[in-house]
Each structure stands twice: as structure tokens, then as C-alpha cells.
Amino acid sequence: MRLARLHEPGEIAVDEVDEPSMRPGSVRIDIEYCGVCGSDLHEFEHGPAPLRAEDRGHVIPESEWSDHLPMPMGHEIVGTVTEVGEGVDRIAVGDRITPCLILPCDDCRYCADGDYHRCERITGPVATPGFADEIVVPASTAVVVPDDVPSRHAALTEPLSVSLHGIRQGGLAAGETVAVFGAGTIGLGVVGAAVAAGAKEVVVSEPRAARREAAEAMGADAVVDPTERDPISFVRDRTDGGADLTVEAVGKEPTLTQSVRSAAYGGTVVVLGVFTEEASIHPNDVMQAERTVVGSFAFRGGHQRDRGEFPAVLKLLSDGRLDPEPILSDVLPLAEVDTAFDRLRDPESDAVKILIEP
Ligand SMILES: [Zn+2]
Ligand SMILES: [Zn+2]
């Protein structure tokens, strides 16, 4: 079968490999779509990255790349089960599923508490071989897609779960104001989730025109181009002096500063972007304003799979409260996976989420 792998930063190629072998407790999926994630793009540009910065510094050094390359990528998967392994009874051949790829160790304090996404030895979704014809995953990860959710929307379950988790970490209440910095897939998902959660006003700062338009289509009440106007004063003007909740969905120092300073006094700042480099804020902006800064990583998974964000997102997609269509820019065949990456890293491109269709 075909499997796309990163051979070195900037070079992804479709290789012919053996079909993955079946294991007890697993299911084989005929992949219908696999979305290109911001984390895939990050590794495409910078090389293999550790999940947590504190484990190995902020990047895996070039001298160790040979341990990781060629590296499969692609974890935003939807497809149909074609084979179930020994001992699998909750999933059947023919089920359309999306795998929730938080694979916990089941042995650390966080796993004991059911906080599997905080697991000290978490594996997945990094290096998941999803840009492929098929994949074998543990049946325990499988979440069944409702019949009325089209596969191209179900392929967004994973990134939308990241967005929804961010809103939950920020403790958004109905009637509150929200400012989102960055309208990539995750930021746009935050806009949709905030609107679905009953936010009073959602303001988005984003330099690319196409993404500002997508933010409006997702329900944003106001958008600002931060290269044209100071986004902090824009957010303050729109939200009576500061947003109740701000979300950093870029992973850069300027947007971190903007997220902190445009939050209301007593408001909450969610750090949702993935940072390549360290970034600093002035602690007095937190101290004197009594703001709360919270992190948000992935989504509830592992044995919480059926009680976490995945089923919540699928329900929102199913009943139409969340329409991800503005996020979807294109569907490309597996043979053109390199084009997808080139388009996503081109700052002039209109692309947001590209799905790969094997
Ligand atoms: Zn992803
Ligand atoms: Zn654990």
C-alpha cells in the first residue's frame, strides 16, 4: 500500500510499503480522508519534534533525526473498518470511525486520575501513519461517526476537539466575550465552538484576508487585520475594555502578548498555539490585572474517549450547531500530499485545512 513519510524536513514522499499487520484488539481502517494538521506542518518544516518541550528541549537535535526519519505522518483520520482483531466486540466491520489517538501508559498518576491527555508517557498522535491507504489502530481509540455527519466533516473531529478543549479549559460561560488570535484550523474551530457555547461577542485577529473571511463565516462578530490596526485596542473597543476569554492559537510571542493584554482584568487567557521558541510576557500584566493564564493540550482521550470532546464535536456536527465547511479549503489525492504541505506553508496561500484522500 501507499504511505507518505517525511524523509527530511521539507521533503515528504509517497512510499510503497507492506500493509500493516493485524494485531489482537485492533481494527483495520480503509482511510477515506486524513487532514493535514498544523503539527504535521510544524514537523515538515522543523524536523521531528518532541511532544513536550521540557522532555528534550524544544526540538529533537538534527543528530538524532535518523532515529525518527523517514517518519510517517497524518492523524486526522476517518474511514471504514474492514477487519477487526481478536477480542474486539465494540466495533464491527463496516463501521465508519475516527480514531481518538491519545494512547496513554495507564500507569502514571494522570492516567490513574483519568486525565489521559496529561499522561507522562503519552504516545500518539505524533508519527501516526495516516497519509496512507489503510491503517491498523487499537480498537479502544475508535469513535463511531454518526450517519448524518459527512466524512469530510468527520475528518475534522480531531482538530475541532482541540478547539473545544481550549474553550473548556478557559471555562467560557454563555454571554461572555471572546477574542481569538490566529484563524488557522484551531482558531477557526475555537470561533465555532465559542459561538455554539453561546458567546456574546467573538472577535478575531488574523493577518490573512481569506482566514478573516473564514472566521466571519464561522460566526465571528468582528475581525481585525493586526498589520493594519492594533488588535489589543480593537478587542478592547469591541468588548467593553477587554474580552472575558482570549485564546492564543498561533504560537508566537506577539500574539501571546496580545492575548494577555486584550483580556479583561480578571479574565482568562488560553495558551493553545504550539510554540517553536520561548516567548515572554510581562508578569505584571497577569499580576495587576488578576488574569488567569491556562494551557490547553489536545483533548480528553484514552478511556475517556466516549466522554471527551470527540463525541461532543460529532454531536455538534450532527445537529448543525457547528458547521466546519469554511475551514475546509481543499481535498487532494495522496499522490499530491507534497503540494498540500507547500500550499500550507506559503504565506500568500488561502489554504486552511487540506484533506488528503487516498
Ligand atoms: Zn491534528
Ligand atoms: Zn500515563
Side-chain angles (χ1 to χ4, degrees), residues 180-254:
V180 183
F181 292 84
T185 298
I186 300 301
L188 291 170
V190 167
V191 173
V195 171
K200 182 174 77 175
E201 173 93 5
V202 180
V203 185
V204 175
S205 174
E206 162 62 49
R208 295 196 208 183
R211 292 183 174 199
R212 287 197 302 278
E213 278 169 31
E216 286 178 318
M218 290 300 292
D221 298 284
V223 293
V224 62
D225 177 353
T227 65
E228 299 262 300
R229 209 194 137 169
D230 171 34
I232 299 172
S233 65
F234 185 86
V235 171
R236 285 179 179 163
D237 286 350
R238 296 284 311 199
T239 58
D240 192 22
D244 297 307
L245 177 70
T246 67
V247 180
E248 202 289 340
V250 178
K252 296 228 185 312
E253 187 166 271

Side-chain angles (χ1 to χ4, degrees), residues 104-112 115-116 118-122:
C105 76
D106 264 335
D107 195 33
C108 71
R109 57 177 281 197
Y110 304 106
C111 285
D115 295 326
Y116 301 104
R118 296 181 188 151
C119 171
E120 289 174 352
R121 289 175 289 278
I122 192 171

Side-chain angles (χ1 to χ4, degrees), residues 35-40 75-76 125 158-159 162 186 299 353:
V36 182
C37 180
S39 63
D40 297 324
H75 56 267
E76 301 179 356
E158 198 258 9
V162 172
I186 300 301
F299 38 81
K353 174 62 72 185

Side-chain angles (χ1 to χ4, degrees), residues 116-296:
Y116 301 104
H117 63 296
R118 296 181 188 151
C119 171
E120 289 174 352
R121 289 175 289 278
I122 192 171
T123 52
V126 173
T128 302
F131 297 132
D133 290 309
E134 56 181 62
I135 187 171
V136 171
V137 297
S140 62
T141 65
V143 176
V144 176
V145 176
D147 288 341
D148 57 0
V149 177
S151 291
R152 50 191 263 119
H153 290 179
L156 286 162
T157 306
E158 198 258 9
L160 290 173
S161 294
V162 172
S163 303
L164 181 61
H165 188 65
I167 289 288
R168 288 178 166 185
Q169 285 292 97
L172 178 69
E176 289 190 333
T177 55
V178 180
V180 183
F181 292 84
T185 298
I186 300 301
L188 291 170
V190 167
V191 173
V195 171
K200 182 174 77 175
E201 173 93 5
V202 180
V203 185
V204 175
S205 174
E206 162 62 49
R208 295 196 208 183
R211 292 183 174 199
R212 287 197 302 278
E213 278 169 31
E216 286 178 318
M218 290 300 292
D221 298 284
V223 293
V224 62
D225 177 353
T227 65
E228 299 262 300
R229 209 194 137 169
D230 171 34
I232 299 172
S233 65
F234 185 86
V235 171
R236 285 179 179 163
D237 286 350
R238 296 284 311 199
T239 58
D240 192 22
D244 297 307
L245 177 70
T246 67
V247 180
E248 202 289 340
V250 178
K252 296 228 185 312
E253 187 166 271
T255 38
L256 180 65
T257 302
Q258 291 157 8
S259 302
V260 171
R261 292 189 177 161
S262 61
Y265 288 9
T268 301
V269 181
V270 179
V271 180
L272 192 54
V274 179
F275 287 73
T276 315
E277 285 162 21
E278 288 193 27
S280 61
I281 53 169
H282 200 306
N284 288 359
D285 287 338
V286 176
M287 181 277 293
Q288 189 265 333
E290 296 197 327
R291 293 172 174 126
T292 303
V293 179
V294 299
S296 183

Side-chain angles (χ1 to χ4, degrees), residues 148-149 314-322:
D148 57 0
V149 177
L314 287 166
K315 178 72 166 69
L316 292 171
L317 293 173
S318 163
D319 66 19
R321 275 179 292 169
L322 191 53

